[in-house]
Amino acid sequence: MVNRIYVEKRLGYQIEAKGLKKELMENLHLKAIQKVRVINVYDVEGLSDSDLALVTPIVFSEPNIDEVTQSISVEGTHSFGVAFLPGQFNQRADSARECIEILCSGALVRVHSFKIIAVEGDLSEDDVNQIKRYIINPVDSREAKLSIPETLEFESFIPDSVESLVGFRAKNADALLAFHTERGFAMTLEDLAFCQNYFREEDRDPTITELKAIDTYWSDHCRHTTFLTAIDAVNIDKATLTAPIKEAYDRFVTVHTSLYPAGNRPTTLMEIATVAMKSMKKNGELEDLDISEEINACSIVVKVQVDGIPQDYLVMFKNETHNHPTEIEPFGGAATCLGGAIRDPLSGRSYVYQAMRVTGAADPRGAIEDTLPGKLPQYLITRGAAKGYSSYGNQIGLATGQVAEVYHPNFVAKRMEIGAVIAAAPKENVIRLVPATGDVVVLVGGRTGRDGCGGATGSSKEHDEESISSCGAEVQKGNAPTERKLQRLFRNKKAAQMIKRCNDFGAGGISVAIGELSESIDIFLDTVPKKYAGLDGTELAISESQERMAVVLSPENVEQFLALSAEENLEATEVAFITDTGRLRMFWKDQKIMDISRAFLDTNGIQQTTQVHVTAPSQNTYFESRTPVSFEAGVADRLADLNSCSKKGLVEMFDSTIGMNTVVMPFGGKNLSTYVDGMVAKIPVISGDTTTATTMTYGYDPDLAMWSPFHGAYYAVLHSVAKSVA
């Protein structure tokens, strides 16, 4: 039986409702609105009446500020429900379920939740539809039915097998083109033809799982195809302002040739970006750079004083861009921007303690009616993204020491969302070994759902006006509490030192996160914990449901690692084994649904090529065009620029004090109102049974026009790389 509970704030505490009313009246110009009500609805299945009475004032409401009823009247209002799409993570419902299971001694319950929005006023049907379009983002939400369901069990149908693409090998060029278009692959048509030749050699047709997994592996998101595209020719216009560009490129060619005299390394954007570091490493100038086969985060070795004794620590840096996901689903996209940035150094067994957020947006004050077709209003994107990032960071316990947002009309087509984090761990805690045949892969953390299916390929494709309604599964709602548990587990020295190799689920799901751990691996998808029934083998293979880690353990360490995970209330399951076949194989329902040669996967598809033409810029420089007629006009011009406004309201959404590691606060001066251009934090260290900290400084380098850690060789790397490509 499903019981329904309605929770609404008491008079005087209806902050959310009043804020929504103000938004609707100002942004949609609906002056006829008299009142807005926001009602949280909880459907609960599996609880007795006595247990429901027990948990209601504890889990579902705060008795001093909430009104709780089992029926509600919305007559005389324009009311509708707003619920997440099936498969989207709902933290409100999930947290309620966990609390109930603790309070009721492990009772197995199902909890769904959604909101009812009730608007009072003389509104037309068009007005109400306009309100719905403003509130309901089709990427992650839908209008909810207000009737009480008979059951909360997720309706599902699981096919007996995955689709076998019979006839794939025999397709001619026209048929292959039609197939490529129909299936919406991120890989190029040439890549698909390359796959066709591979399966001809294998003398079989592929499964859809295999092509989807290959598409994910070779996506720009996972393999940086754009940065690895070979540059066949570079033509730089001859002009005064292009002379420095020509000089810098010639310098790159000289250094690159010295590193690869055989000429077997194509020129790519990745080579241009990393050649300075490689040259310095070759010349012995980067002794503190930490290099390993693991793909985690850029890391350096530093000496840290712990109880007066210098110890080796790994300091890791990672930045993440989530421009497209945040554009179509602001809250979830920005939240998982931070979550993704955290997961890389976290998979390197380091503790993430400081974050930075840099964003770019068009003017959020713009009129709703001026929104580009197929886009969300800038107001919703800007506010939703700030809420998403700050919510994730504040929940996981990560101090955000620097928040900067740049406003420019060119960001109207594509928002910029960047999250950067810094992490540290005792070097002795990080054991990096090559997986051996017989080793076990354990999946630890959150369960797998449909959220995030196609995220890597989706972010690697061009998008149009239809993207906002067709890419919903690609953007997830982050689960910060679960990632917090992973942080605690990986900071445990016993657990960390058992891990031979680790990968996070930032992109590509099981096919990439587990597939990258070894050259030979067998994955058993039936063992993967699921959020709900109904997932087929392909969905299990490519779902990017996050807050999960794949770790390689020696067989003798598995039992203890599972026990340590359980102590942190983390689910951990054996899902794969290291083999010696040279192939990535996946099994589902006693069927082999993927069997691909590692050598073929590692080709990354057909080598893409391009030519570069650098045109001469206008002689009228930016600074000349900005020269004011007078000092007064210059001041007025600057004050009129939205970028000169105070961003204190934005910055204060982010907690900069968590963990007590922040040295310089975002606002300083006598009145704590002066914006600080920099970020300084202490490195948290473990001293006996307590945690202390030492200082790591971040700041702005005017020569580079970028933020950099002011630390030895790593700073030199950033400086040289930036100078070489400037």
Side-chain angles (χ1 to χ4, degrees), residues 35 101 333 417 428 523 609 617 690:
K35 183 179 180 181
E101 291 178 355
E417 186 75 32
E428 64 176 357
I523 304 171
T609 62
T690 62

Coordinates of all heavy atoms in Angstrom, one line a residue, residues 35 101 333 417 428 523 609 617 690:
K35 N -0.5 34.6 -5.4 CA 0.1 33.7 -4.4 C 0.7 32.5 -5.1 O 0.1 32.0 -6.0 CB -0.8 33.3 -3.3 CG -0.2 32.5 -2.1 CD -1.2 32.2 -1.0 CE -0.6 31.3 0.1 NZ -1.6 31.0 1.1
E101 N 15.1 3.4 6.8 CA 15.7 2.1 7.0 C 16.5 2.0 8.3 O 16.6 1.0 9.0 CB 16.5 1.7 5.8 CG 15.6 1.4 4.6 CD 16.4 1.0 3.3 OE1 17.7 1.1 3.4 OE2 15.8 0.7 2.3
G333 N 24.2 19.5 -14.2 CA 25.5 19.6 -15.0 C 26.6 20.2 -14.2 O 27.7 19.8 -14.2
E417 N 31.5 26.3 -17.9 CA 31.5 25.8 -16.6 C 32.7 25.0 -16.3 O 32.9 23.9 -16.8 CB 30.2 24.9 -16.4 CG 30.0 24.5 -14.9 CD 29.4 25.6 -14.1 OE1 28.7 26.5 -14.6 OE2 29.7 25.6 -12.9
E428 N 53.0 7.2 0.6 CA 53.1 5.8 0.9 C 51.7 5.1 0.9 O 51.6 3.9 0.8 CB 53.6 5.7 2.4 CG 52.7 6.3 3.5 CD 53.3 6.0 4.9 OE1 54.3 5.3 5.0 OE2 52.6 6.5 5.8
I523 N 34.3 -9.1 -17.6 CA 33.3 -8.4 -16.8 C 32.0 -9.1 -16.8 O 31.5 -9.5 -17.8 CB 33.1 -6.9 -17.3 CG1 34.5 -6.2 -17.4 CG2 32.2 -6.2 -16.4 CD1 34.4 -4.9 -18.1
T609 N 42.8 13.9 -39.3 CA 43.8 14.9 -39.8 C 43.1 16.2 -40.1 O 41.9 16.3 -40.3 CB 44.5 14.4 -41.0 OG1 43.5 14.3 -42.1 CG2 45.2 13.1 -40.8
P617 N 45.5 38.9 -37.5 CA 44.5 39.7 -36.8 C 44.4 41.1 -37.2 O 45.4 41.6 -37.8 CB 44.9 39.6 -35.3 CG 46.4 39.4 -35.4 CD 46.6 38.6 -36.6
T690 N 45.2 12.4 14.3 CA 44.6 13.7 14.0 C 45.0 14.2 12.7 O 45.9 13.8 12.1 CB 44.9 14.7 15.1 OG1 46.4 15.0 15.1 CG2 44.6 14.2 16.5

